[in-house]
Amino acid sequence: MPTIPARRGFFRNAMNALIEARQREANRYVSGVLLSLDDETLKAHGYDREDLRKAANSPYV
């Protein structure tokens, strides 16, 4: 019986890693799209252009 929880743990960890990687990819994409907006619109919605620039280029958003 000890092998069943280990297998579930392996697949759960693999799936969680995949989900986290896709989330980081989505965050980078959204940051890149938001950078196409003008500064006034970004400020009105609470974003900072420099923070978005960093997030768009960072692999660890």
Side-chain angles (χ1 to χ4, degrees):
M1 288 291 250
T3 49
I4 292 173
R7 287 185 184 182
R8 284 185 186 162
F10 170 78
F11 288 112
R12 182 173 291 142
N13 289 339
M15 184 57 89
N16 287 341
L18 176 69
I19 290 168
E20 289 176 21
R22 296 290 291 175
Q23 184 63 50
R24 287 191 304 268
E25 180 182 8
N27 289 343
R28 285 191 307 271
Y29 177 81
V30 169
S31 294
V33 171
L34 287 173
L35 283 170
S36 69
L37 299 174
D38 63 312
D39 288 333
E40 291 177 18
T41 304
L42 289 175
K43 285 184 183 180
H45 293 284
Y47 293 104
D48 180 43
R49 183 169 298 279
E50 191 59 34
D51 291 339
L52 289 173
R53 230 180 245 130
K54 290 176 186 175
N57 294 326
S58 173
Y60 304 108
V61 175

